[in-house]
Amino acid sequence: MMMDKITEVSGRAPGKIILCGEHAAVHGSAALAASLGLYTQVRIQTPNSNSLSVDPNVHLTINLTDMNVCLTWPMQRVEAAFESLDAFVVDPLCIKPCSTDFLQCVAALIDKEEFPEAIIGVAEGVSALIFLYISIIGFKPATVIVTSDLPLGSGLGSSAALCVATSGAVLALSGALHLDSVQDVWLSLDESKREVVNKWAFEGEKIIHGRPSGIDNTVSTFGNVVKFKSGHLTHIRHIFPIKLLITNTKVGRNTKALVAGVSERSSRHPKAMSAVFSAVNDICEEIAEIIQAPSSDDISISEKEGKLEELMEMNQGLLKCMGVSHPCIEAVLKTTSKYKLCSKLTGAGGGGCVLTLLPK
């Protein structure tokens, strides 16, 4: 997080890969995830304090530079869109979910026809950004500029990185969080303050995905490798190094629809799907044990890699049972298997990215 007095604040957050446990985590299973060195950055520029929202020339602007999408509204129109809300209170430290009434007010601002047809979930992402900004800051003019290294709809946590970067930047701008340690030109938050950012980001993720597990925003907020189960976070001290190849199929998908599809399948076949989720949980626990245990020699490393390959293969099979694989994913699996490499999808599936384990 970087600040320049009170006129500009930037927040950035990393993407993620899920090693195991996607979808099952929504139903109580453990999941393992790791942050990536690819970031989304949200820069907020505010006018001088003597610029008032009643000035018709003062706007709220959201610029999605990577998509060539720029939305701008006079502040009078923004305030008018939300005037129907009863007793709306701005409180940066009071995390609250986005109500149906609030979303309807956001919809009054956003015209989905303004977004590129090929980009999935952009309108929902803008809705989450507006929710976070107004809930934490209120009706103040600003220009919000979003840039990202992360491809959209690829399973690398682009939406969570957006929500985390937005939450961090807006909370810093509000003065609710004081920034601590310096990392190069960026300032970081201690763990308790990151938890506030994480809770706000989770509410933003709900707008985008409906019923997210919370693992994406959690690993984006805290970084490194984490185990996540039923809302509880455990930092993993990974001693055993893992090299992974990430293949982007470039097939877009709708995470909300895929999550809902798994839930519907679980409702139709509760016993069978409960067994699937339980098996995924056991796989995650075993992978966590493997990557935390030291290796004494190359034989030990080879044995661990063999176990990881089997566990990844089993996890992919269970994801296929959930109905979230895709022909393009299966094509990557077939190609890598020719070279005796093991692969699995990462994220929501239905396209997106595939992980391939690279042996030492």
Side-chain angles (χ1 to χ4, degrees), residues 165-246:
T166 300
S167 298
V170 178
L171 284 164
L173 185 65
S174 73
L177 298 182
H178 299 291
L179 304 179
D180 297 321
S181 57
V182 178
Q183 295 178 352
D184 298 324
V185 296
W186 291 91
L187 303 174
S188 65
L189 300 171
D190 65 29
E191 189 159 329
S192 63
K193 294 170 185 174
R194 290 189 189 196
E195 189 55 46
V196 177
V197 172
N198 190 37
K199 288 179 178 179
W200 273 117
F202 185 49
E203 296 305 327
E205 277 278 87
K206 289 179 183 178
I207 295 172
I208 300 171
H209 296 309
R211 192 188 170 193
S213 66
I215 190 169
D216 284 20
N217 51 278
T218 300
V219 75
S220 183
T221 301
F222 292 94
N224 299 315
V225 180
V226 300
K227 182 171 77 171
F228 183 90
K229 184 172 182 179
S230 302
H232 298 290
L233 169 74
T234 305
H235 292 281
I236 298 295
R237 184 169 175 261
H238 56 295
I239 296 174
F240 183 70
I242 301 175
K243 290 180 68 177
L244 294 167
L245 172 70
I246 302 175

Side-chain angles (χ1 to χ4, degrees), residues 16 18 21-28 120 155 159 202 205-217 253-268 273 277 319 321-325 345-351:
K16 66 90 183 68
I18 294 184
E22 46 270 274
H23 287 290
V26 177
H27 301 272
I120 299 172
S159 66
F202 185 49
E205 277 278 87
K206 289 179 183 178
I207 295 172
I208 300 171
H209 296 309
R211 192 188 170 193
S213 66
I215 190 169
D216 284 20
N217 51 278
R253 74 282 188 281
N254 187 320
T255 299
K256 184 184 290 187
L258 287 161
V259 171
V262 174
S263 294
E264 290 168 5
R265 182 171 290 205
S266 180
S267 297
R268 292 194 298 271
M273 290 298 287
F277 300 144
L319 287 163
C321 289
M322 297 180 207
V324 296
S325 191
L345 68 84
T346 183

Side-chain angles (χ1 to χ4, degrees), residues 311-330:
L311 292 166
M312 286 178 64
E313 185 178 22
M314 286 188 280
N315 193 180
Q316 174 61 30
L318 293 167
L319 287 163
K320 195 170 182 179
C321 289
M322 297 180 207
V324 296
S325 191
H326 186 277
C328 69
I329 294 173
E330 298 300 323

